[in-house]
Amino acid sequence: MILMTLNLKITFIPLVALLMSSAACQSQHSDIIAEGAELVLVADDYTFTEGPAVDAEGNVFFTDQPNNRILKWSPDEGVSVFMQPSGRANGLYFDHEGNLLACADEKFQLWRIDSDKNVTVLWEQFEGLDLNGPNDLWVDPNGGIYFTDPYYQRPYWERSESAMKKEQVYYISPDMGNIKVVIDDFARPNGIIGSADGKTLFVSDRGNNKTYSYEILEDGMLSEGTLFCELGSDGMTIDNQGNVYLTGDGVTVFDKNGKQIEHIPTGKKWTANVTFGGPNQDLLFITAMDSVFTLQMNVKGVRN
């Protein structure tokens, strides 16, 4: 795929202090970014940031997986440590009761963390075998959980190969009593997000550098996949116009028909994940390598 000309102008502070405060991000063609908005550096003292998830108040929780911790960003109070250790949490998402769900891949588990930081293991095996390592997840309107389970060898694992034959996408029923495979033909599933109405699921196959869309059926199963775009993604989010945000080389935005409409560079080697945060859900929150950024938007997230 030939990427569009960048619609975003980014101005750097001198190279020695790359993005130490902010980078000017001014859209030339797309109107999804607020006029004159700047990519603001929130913090840059991490090892690898991932998994941003927004709560009902607009606070964003994210992970620093190599340091085994979950952090919390508040618009008023900045960043603080929420939980450490954190089961080597990667992707995060809030359920409808306000519990934080975490892809805790230290022991190949999916966790539920309540407001008192009590942990419940929701799932850890499939057909008697350890999962590869839950990576990213999305909660549907009924409370069911879709999650991706790729295999990325971790330095803290004792195992050196997967017990599973495939890297798959799973669905856990709303009562947390049943799990089933919903995608089994990906090379390496990774980013996942659903539409606001709960009718469409977008899933990235990073192994083949493609993203697909699926109709969500009544029983939680999926229709046959349709190619959404010729680009894979690490983490993903969606806005109230139905635009889908993919990550990797910065943030690349596609409209609901799979046409690229924007590219947001971060100045980092890899951009891992993205969500909408803040009280109005109009701040794009971006995790990229050792840093986290925000960008004021004209569109909003659809989580709460």
Side-chain angles (χ1 to χ4, degrees):
M1 181 183 70
I2 300 176
L3 296 182
M4 295 168 53
T5 301
L6 295 185
N7 292 336
L8 193 66
K9 186 188 296 181
I10 185 163
T11 301
F12 297 96
I13 291 174
L15 291 177
V16 176
L18 181 65
L19 290 174
M20 286 300 291
S21 59
S22 68
C25 302
Q26 199 160 18
S27 174
Q28 297 173 354
H29 303 291
S30 168
D31 61 357
I32 63 173
I33 302 172
E35 184 176 357
E38 294 184 337
L39 190 68
V40 177
L41 179 64
V42 174
D44 64 352
D45 55 351
Y46 311 111
T47 302
F48 189 83
T49 56
E50 247 285 12
V54 63
D55 68 11
E57 286 73 45
N59 304 304
V60 175
F61 293 69
F62 65 97
T63 63
D64 182 13
Q65 191 181 41
N67 291 315
N68 200 16
R69 58 183 177 172
I70 298 173
L71 300 110
K72 176 184 177 181
W73 170 82
S74 165
D76 298 324
E77 300 177 3
V79 179
S80 60
V81 175
F82 172 72
M83 176 180 285
Q84 188 175 19
S86 64
R88 300 285 183 175
N90 194 346
L92 306 173
Y93 208 85
F94 278 90
D95 68 15
H96 301 316
E97 287 72 47
N99 301 303
L100 182 62
L101 306 182
C103 293
D105 80 4
E106 182 174 27
K107 295 182 179 179
F108 337 120
Q109 298 170 333
L110 195 67
W111 283 11
R112 180 173 61 208
I113 307 168
D114 68 18
S115 58
D116 295 321
K117 304 180 186 178
N118 297 310
V119 173
T120 300
V121 177
L122 295 179
W123 222 274
E124 58 184 339
Q125 290 188 330
F126 180 73
E127 296 182 343
L129 299 176
D130 288 336
L131 295 168
N132 291 318
N135 185 278
D136 203 1
L137 72 165
W138 176 72
V139 179
D140 72 14
N142 297 320
I145 303 170
Y146 292 90
F147 72 93
T148 59
D149 188 45
Y151 189 88
Y152 293 103
Q153 182 65 43
R154 305 299 192 188
Y156 43 81
W157 288 345
E158 294 183 0
R159 67 180 184 179
S160 58
E161 61 182 8
S162 173
M164 308 289 291
K165 293 182 179 180
K166 292 185 177 182
E167 302 181 24
Q168 303 180 127
V169 181
Y170 297 89
Y171 179 69
I172 302 176
S173 59
D175 64 2
M176 301 295 117
N178 181 55
I179 187 173
K180 53 191 174 184
V181 176
V182 292
I183 301 175
D184 66 357
D185 59 353
F186 275 16
R188 179 152 292 169
N190 201 311
I192 188 168
I193 196 69
S195 60
D197 60 10
K199 295 181 179 180
T200 305
L201 189 70
F202 299 90
V203 190
S204 164
D205 184 355
R206 275 194 64 197
N208 285 319
N209 200 34
K210 300 179 188 298
T211 297
Y212 294 86
S213 63
Y214 298 83
E215 178 187 354
I216 298 175
L217 307 178
E218 288 187 6
D219 61 356
M221 296 298 290
L222 305 176
S223 69
E224 184 174 348
T226 299
L227 181 64
F228 178 69
C229 67
E230 297 263 3
L231 185 65
S233 183
D234 198 339
M236 302 166 65
T237 195
I238 195 167
D239 68 25
N240 61 348
Q241 294 183 358
N243 301 313
V244 179
Y245 296 63
L246 308 186
T247 58
D249 175 18
V251 180
T252 307
V253 188
F254 295 83
D255 68 15
K256 60 184 178 181
N257 299 312
K259 177 184 177 182
Q260 184 181 329
I261 60 171
E262 189 62 88
H263 180 254
I264 304 168
T266 62
K268 295 293 182 177
K269 182 179 180 180
W270 186 255
T271 299
N273 216 324
V274 63
T275 196
F276 283 86
N280 299 315
Q281 275 202 95
D282 57 358
L283 274 180
L284 194 64
F285 190 96
I286 304 168
T287 61
M289 299 301 291
D290 62 347
S291 303
V292 291
F293 301 93
T294 58
L295 179 64
Q296 185 64 53
M297 305 293 287
N298 284 328
V299 291
K300 297 183 178 182
V302 296
R303 180 63 185 93
N304 299 302

